Amino acid sequence: MPAGLVISAPASGVGKTTLTLALARAWRHRGLRVQCFKSGPDYIDPAFHAAATGRASVNVDSWAMDRATIEHLVSRGTDADIVLAEGSMGLFDGVAARGVSGTGATADIAEMLGWPVVLVIDPSGQAQTAAAIAAGLRDYRAGVRLAGVVLNRVASPRHEDLVRRALSDIGIAVFGALPRHAEISLPKRHLGLVQAEEQAEIGQLIDEAARFVSEHVDLGAVLRAAAAWSVQPAANGLNVTPPGQRIALARDAAFSFVYPHMLEAWRAAGAEISTFSPLADEAPDASADVCWLPGGYPELHAGKIAANARFRDGLRAFAETRPVHGECGGYMVLGTALTDADGISHEMTGLLGLETSFAKRRMHLGYRLVALAAPMPGHQVGARLRGHEFHYSTIVVQPDTPLAVVHDATGSVIAETGSWRGHATGTFFHLIAEDR
């Protein structure tokens, strides 16, 4: 029977991903089968998990998914020896209003599945106060069990001793303490970490993290703290409708933000997926019946996308007779123009009238509950969808017909509605699940 743990922290940027990858690779080196998951709407971390474990990682999300869906997704870990679920933000951070089975907080997943929490705590600029923070997290919610902590970025042996003593005094186990180690820092950009597939040395970086953590953390104690668990997957699997029978999916460094569970659900429903690379100037498969452009980083490759005539002409020809849908970055590429961070405007495909700009960045972040006012691939008028929006682009012009009525997690109306024209549709939200 596998054992499960949740890796969380008081806040973002403390070292959850590094510890998760290091533990996964270190245990894999010791012959254990390790399965990772990611709590919350994140595209980047699951790819790192897969690189560390050799097994696909998927997102579980208490705001967008019901318990049956979450249990179906985590059931892939039943043949593993240890399951690690990496949290997002702080342990209890979610939205103000409850969604399908929770607020999107990592604590929801820990309580739902009965997995103890390993806290990563960065005591920089403090000592005994770190113990007070850990105690507060331990006692905040009765259904969430704290296994212990790993200290990260300790300044000195004396600093470590002060924090360890304070934690010992309140009965919280310390599994290890990591001094600062620049060699295992993961590079970042504006939407998070630089993607795993863009880092040629990712394997060596994870190996170094595993070596470093193995020297400073009691891996055996962490493993013993995990809770045995079993789950019966839901008979109906995921509640996801594929956008078509044969899907042409843009897939490269500019178009990579696709939830793994969505692709798996499409295939499970009988759909076929053929990938193409706009950056390599490839057009969508002419035999496909729908084209899907996911999000990613088109703003970093706008000049190349604008210059790739085979891609642009092929997509336009496809859209004359069949639906094309874009999410976030894909939506921007369906538009008329994209202005990059340097203020240079690049011509996009022009299937929609949308013009966007990164010259004046503004963050848009949050869950989205959507009611379609027009059909989009896989969904009819009136369909209710759950998704998430995260980008820094600004809409300059959006002249087309709104696609949906969009609310945030608290029920407030969101001005950004998506749009449609002809066979082209697009949204700034990324679809996570259909609303049951």
Side-chain angles (χ1 to χ4, degrees):
M1 185 176 292
L5 281 172
V6 173
I7 308 299
S8 190
S12 297
V14 177
K16 296 187 298 288
T17 300
T18 299
L19 181 65
T20 301
L21 299 178
L23 290 174
R25 180 61 64 85
W27 281 327
R28 187 182 179 195
H29 283 332
R30 287 160 174 75
L32 299 181
R33 291 166 297 181
V34 185
Q35 174 68 57
C36 288
F37 298 101
K38 176 67 180 183
S39 175
D42 184 292
Y43 296 97
I44 297 174
D45 288 345
F48 282 98
H49 297 165
T53 66
R55 298 167 62 114
S57 171
V58 297
N59 303 77
V60 288
D61 192 306
S62 69
W63 184 84
M65 300 173 179
D66 61 17
R67 182 175 186 135
T69 298
I70 292 170
E71 290 184 342
H72 175 84
L73 289 169
V74 302
S75 67
R76 72 186 56 220
T78 55
D79 68 338
D81 298 302
I82 179 68
V83 171
L84 295 175
E86 181 187 347
S88 57
M89 300 184 292
L91 176 59
F92 297 102
D93 294 331
V95 292
R98 184 180 174 88
V100 180
S101 61
T103 65
T106 301
D108 295 339
I109 302 300
E111 182 173 11
M112 182 186 299
L113 300 173
W115 294 346
V117 176
V118 174
L119 280 178
V120 186
I121 292 185
D122 180 352
S124 300
Q126 60 186 206
Q128 290 90 340
T129 300
I133 293 170
L137 292 169
R138 177 193 61 189
D139 300 337
Y140 186 77
R141 184 165 159 180
V144 178
R145 180 157 58 95
L146 179 62
V149 307
V150 172
L151 304 176
N152 191 22
R153 305 171 188 142
V154 295
S156 66
R158 177 179 175 275
H159 183 213
E160 176 185 339
D161 183 63
L162 286 170
V163 182
R164 277 183 177 272
R165 286 175 182 268
L167 287 162
S168 177
D169 287 345
I170 56 173
I172 295 179
V174 179
F175 295 127
L178 305 173
R180 295 184 182 276
H181 189 56
E183 286 75 11
I184 61 170
S185 295
L186 297 169
K188 300 179 181 181
R189 60 164 64 115
H190 58 280
L191 295 181
L193 297 174
V194 174
Q195 299 169 95
E197 57 264 37
E198 294 182 61
Q199 300 187 47
E201 307 300 319
I202 187 60
Q204 295 92 316
L205 187 64
I206 296 174
D207 278 339
E208 174 59 20
R211 182 201 64 76
F212 178 67
V213 167
S214 297
E215 289 180 354
H216 296 279
V217 174
D218 187 340
L219 299 183
V222 178
L223 193 61
R224 290 189 294 272
W229 66 284
S230 61
V231 64
Q232 294 297 322
N236 61 344
L238 299 178
N239 186 37
V240 173
T241 303
Q245 170 60 38
R246 184 163 175 79
I247 306 161
L249 176 71
R251 188 76 169 170
D252 55 30
F255 302 91
S256 59
F257 289 176
V258 182
Y259 290 119
H261 78 271
M262 295 294 293
L263 301 185
E264 292 183 8
W266 291 352
R267 291 189 175 103
E272 305 169 64
I273 301 174
S274 63
T275 60
F276 68 101
S277 170
L279 290 184
D281 203 13
E282 296 174 353
D285 184 351
S287 69
D289 51 40
V290 64
C291 181
W292 194 276
L293 272 64
Y297 290 102
E299 66 273 17
L300 301 180
H301 307 276
K304 191 166 188 178
I305 293 170
N308 284 352
R310 185 181 297 110
F311 158 65
R312 292 166 59 208
D313 292 344
L315 188 68
R316 289 167 181 155
F318 190 101
E320 289 178 1
T321 56
R322 287 154 292 176
V324 175
H325 182 75
E327 288 188 329
C328 201
Y331 181 31
M332 292 186 280
V333 172
L334 293 184
T336 301
L338 189 162
T339 301
D340 63 24
D342 296 323
I344 301 172
S345 180
H346 303 274
E347 182 182 354
M348 293 290 103
T349 60
L351 296 179
L352 296 170
L354 179 73
E355 296 182 21
T356 54
S357 175
F358 284 83
K360 294 182 179 180
R361 297 195 337 175
R362 178 170 173 259
M363 186 172 72
H364 303 263
L365 173 66
Y367 285 117
R368 301 292 183 253
L369 182 58
V370 177
L372 290 181
M376 62 173 270
H379 305 285
Q380 298 304 311
V381 174
R384 288 170 58 86
L385 310 174
R386 287 183 179 263
H388 188 265
E389 181 177 350
F390 182 26
H391 63 93
Y392 284 88
S393 61
T394 299
I395 295 176
V396 179
V397 175
Q398 198 290 89
D400 298 314
T401 307
L403 179 65
V405 177
V406 182
H407 295 85
D408 67 13
T410 67
S412 297
V413 174
I414 298 296
E416 174 17 50
T417 61
S419 60
W420 70 274
R421 177 196 293 178
H423 291 103
T425 57
T427 66
F428 266 115
F429 72 86
H430 298 263
L431 179 62
I432 300 176
E434 298 169 20
D435 196 41
R436 293 178 190 257

